[in-house]
Amino acid sequence: MYFRKETNASYNFVAPNIEKDADKKVEVVFPTAEFVEPTLSSNAAEVKVERDTTIVDLGTLEAAATLTLTPSASLNIGAKVVVKAASDGTARAVTVKRDATTTVDTISGTANTAKAKQYMWTGSAWIAIS
């Protein structure tokens, strides 16, 4: 429980009443958020996703790029990642991967424009949310 000293307000998590969870111990990692600006090396970057909300800003691309979103072992189902990238004067695409061999999606670029796309973790895969 957390108390806000200035207003004497208290905040607490409340467990849901879900019948199928009766007599189970359900653990969920505390929700946190992060903003990252990874450095592209050879037009590729990897981000280890450890939080419920991660915002990845690739900046302005000068070439097509590959972004690998590596989920941590304790990542909550339903965790979300927003990937943002801008193209310079030429349309630049971002290939989003889960690992070296699994492509999740491609974000098509538009010249001189920033684009963003959101992905959700299912427990075994990233899915694009449109």
Side-chain angles (χ1 to χ4, degrees):
M1 184 173 293
Y2 178 78
F3 289 96
R4 186 75 191 174
K5 294 177 185 177
E6 296 84 359
T7 62
N8 198 34
S10 66
Y11 302 87
N12 195 17
F13 284 98
V14 176
N17 185 11
I18 300 172
E19 185 70 31
K20 71 179 183 177
D21 288 346
D23 298 321
K24 292 181 183 176
K25 181 181 177 183
V26 178
E27 292 184 347
V28 178
V29 176
F30 190 85
T32 58
E34 178 177 33
F35 178 84
V36 295
E37 296 176 290
T39 301
L40 291 170
S41 176
S42 300
N43 297 317
E46 179 178 2
V47 172
K48 183 174 183 182
V49 182
E50 302 176 292
R51 301 175 188 270
D52 269 1
T53 303
T54 303
I55 300 167
V56 179
D57 188 345
L58 296 175
T60 301
L61 303 176
E62 297 175 354
T66 299
L67 174 65
T68 303
L69 300 174
T70 304
S72 71
S74 61
L75 191 62
N76 288 332
I77 291 173
K80 294 176 183 69
V81 175
V82 175
V83 177
K84 176 187 169 282
S87 293
D88 59 7
T90 302
R92 309 293 184 182
V94 177
T95 301
V96 179
K97 297 183 149 219
R98 180 184 188 273
D99 53 46
T101 60
T102 308
T103 298
V104 175
D105 190 31
T106 300
I107 303 170
S108 298
T110 303
N112 300 309
T113 304
K115 290 200 175 182
K117 196 157 189 185
Q118 186 173 28
Y119 301 90
M120 184 181 348
W121 181 243
T122 67
S124 60
W126 294 106
I127 57 171
I129 300 173
S130 42

